């Protein structure tokens, strides 16, 4: 066994029952192109290879990459940082399915990066911190609903499949984890991503404010009313479609 490297967020899955459950939930088919992010010591990889799918592995840790290539010679091994890799070059055979027990320290930037490449991806199953999965799948007007919920649901249908306790890993993480399935929408929302991102940062940095104040400088009170949104609502009360409408109003103006 290789020693886990904290800086790469290494918590290896060791519970065979849960590994089987993740693999059955993903259900890779022979001939499908699958990309595994952060295969580590190959806990999931072993089963993916057995499914007969066409597998690409992206692993940042050079020592693990060497072991993986020896153990799974039929897979294509990319020893790179997934946050920096040239994804279109790395995935010529798209659309692909993506799976990963992700390093929690890079999960949000990685998700935002993948959302920009959804034309390459048909669906994704990720293990993430439970709290992050709850935010991704949250409904409006709930405590977990925020920027990550809107950004995720703008691009994908997000479903929490099941939770995974710390005991399933070695070393054990301090937090509870969960598996999320992300299915990109067939029809991407027509919206200026830069504008909606900026709007969400501003709106959710002051959750307690009314939208009249939280969106100041972006959308006026009369514009909110023209969209059927009471200026006294809070940022967490607006649906994804409300944010799209506000954002489109700003982009038609500029
Ligand atoms: N899939 C394995 C498992 O379930 O046991 C390992 C999961 S571990 C939580 C995360 C893995 O992602 C580690 O192998 C780590 O080296 C790798 N990793 C961390 N940062 C990465 C990055 N930026 N790009 C690619 N792989 C990364």
């Amino acid at each position: 066994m290789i020693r886990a490297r904290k800086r790469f967020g290494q918590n290896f899955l060791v519970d065979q029952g849960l590994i089987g459950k993740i693999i059955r939930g993903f259900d890779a088919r022979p001939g499908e192109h699958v990309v595994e992010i952060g295969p580590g010591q190959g806990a999931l990889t072993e089963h993916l290879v057995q499914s007969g799918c066409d597998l690409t592995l992206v692993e940042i840790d050079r020592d693990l990459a060497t072991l993986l290539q020896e153990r799974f010679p039929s897979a294509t091994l990319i020893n790179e940082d997934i946050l920096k890799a040239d994804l279109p070059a790395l995935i010529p055979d798209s659309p692909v399915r993506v799976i990963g027990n992700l390093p929690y320290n890079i999960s949000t930037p990685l998700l935002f990066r993948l959302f920009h490449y959804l034309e390459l991806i048909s669906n994704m199953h990720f293990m993430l911190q439970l709290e992050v999965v709850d935010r991704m799948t949250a409904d409006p007007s709930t405590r977990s609903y925020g920027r990550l919920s809107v950004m995720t649901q703008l691009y994908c249908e997000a479903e929490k499949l099941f939770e995974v306790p710390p005991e399933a890993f070695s070393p054990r993480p301090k937090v509870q984890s969960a598996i999320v399935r992300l299915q990109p929408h067939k029809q991407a929302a027509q919206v200026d991503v830069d504008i909606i991102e900026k709007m969400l940062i501003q709106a959710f940095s002051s959750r307690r404010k009314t939208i009249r104040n939280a969106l100041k400088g972006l959308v006026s009170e009369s514009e909110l009313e023209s969209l059927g949104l009471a200026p006294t609502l809070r940022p967490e009360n607006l649906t994804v479609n409300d944010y799209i409408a506000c954002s489109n109003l700003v982009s038609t103006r500029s």
Side-chain angles (χ1 to χ4, degrees):
M1 266 243 178
I2 275 197
R3 234 188 76 205
R5 292 190 163 115
K6 229 183 178 162
R7 74 191 152 107
F8 290 148
Q10 292 178 351
N11 297 94
F12 300 114
L13 271 168
V14 290
D15 182 321
Q16 292 304 323
L18 269 162
I19 292 170
K21 196 169 173 186
I22 295 168
I23 289 293
R24 283 194 299 282
F26 186 65
D27 192 22
R29 298 296 170 93
E32 262 180 357
H33 189 179
V34 173
V35 175
E36 186 186 0
I37 300 174
Q41 300 183 347
L44 301 173
T45 321
E46 186 182 356
H47 299 272
L48 294 169
V49 166
Q50 281 165 13
S51 75
C53 69
D54 179 7
L55 194 58
T56 298
L57 308 172
V58 186
E59 174 55 63
I60 197 171
D61 185 318
R62 202 185 320 151
D63 295 336
L64 287 177
T66 307
L67 291 178
L68 287 160
Q69 190 66 94
E70 280 167 13
R71 192 165 158 211
F72 308 110
S74 63
T76 304
L77 198 287
I78 316 271
N79 180 204
E80 280 187 43
D81 180 344
I82 190 68
L83 291 179
K84 297 192 183 135
D86 179 355
L87 294 181
L90 186 152
I91 310 175
D93 183 16
S94 62
V96 296
R97 301 187 63 210
V98 182
I99 185 168
N101 169 12
L102 297 185
Y104 296 164
N105 50 344
I106 64 160
S107 56
T108 313
L110 176 56
L111 289 166
F112 277 73
R113 180 150 206 252
L114 293 173
F115 292 156
H116 288 125
Y117 288 100
L118 287 182
E119 72 280 5
L120 303 174
I121 298 170
S122 57
N123 82 354
M124 305 178 263
H125 283 212
F126 291 132
M127 170 102 74
L128 292 163
Q129 221 172 302
L130 172 61
E131 182 245 328
V132 173
V133 172
D134 283 342
R135 286 198 279 133
M136 293 171 83
T137 55
D139 290 328
S141 306
T142 62
R143 206 167 48 89
S144 301
Y145 186 74
R147 179 174 164 239
L148 187 61
S149 328
V150 180
M151 286 307 288
T152 303
Q153 296 167 31
L154 178 65
Y155 293 108
C156 301
E157 197 171 307
E159 186 187 354
K160 177 162 96 176
L161 296 186
F162 52 90
E163 297 184 13
V164 180
E167 301 77 58
F169 303 86
S170 173
R172 292 181 184 183
K174 290 199 178 72
V175 292
Q176 193 80 6
S177 305
I179 300 281
V180 65
R181 172 169 43 213
L182 298 172
Q183 189 69 49
H185 298 310
K186 285 201 178 74
Q187 200 88 46
Q190 296 299 311
V191 68
D192 183 320
V193 174
D194 291 339
I195 291 179
I196 200 166
E197 279 188 354
K198 186 174 159 209
M199 181 174 288
L200 292 169
I201 290 171
Q202 181 172 325
F204 285 103
S205 62
S206 42
R207 290 176 79 91
R208 295 310 308 147
K209 285 188 183 169
T210 61
I211 52 172
R212 176 195 289 130
N213 291 321
L215 296 178
K216 216 173 214 142
L218 290 171
V219 189
S220 70
E221 193 164 337
S222 59
E223 286 173 327
L224 288 171
E225 277 163 352
S226 75
L227 295 173
L229 297 171
T232 49
L233 291 170
R234 312 271 168 194
E236 69 192 40
N237 302 131
L238 269 56
T239 64
V240 176
N241 283 336
D242 291 335
Y243 278 109
I244 293 173
C246 288
S247 170
N248 286 344
L249 203 142
V250 174
S251 46
T252 49
R253 202 192 309 127
S254 53

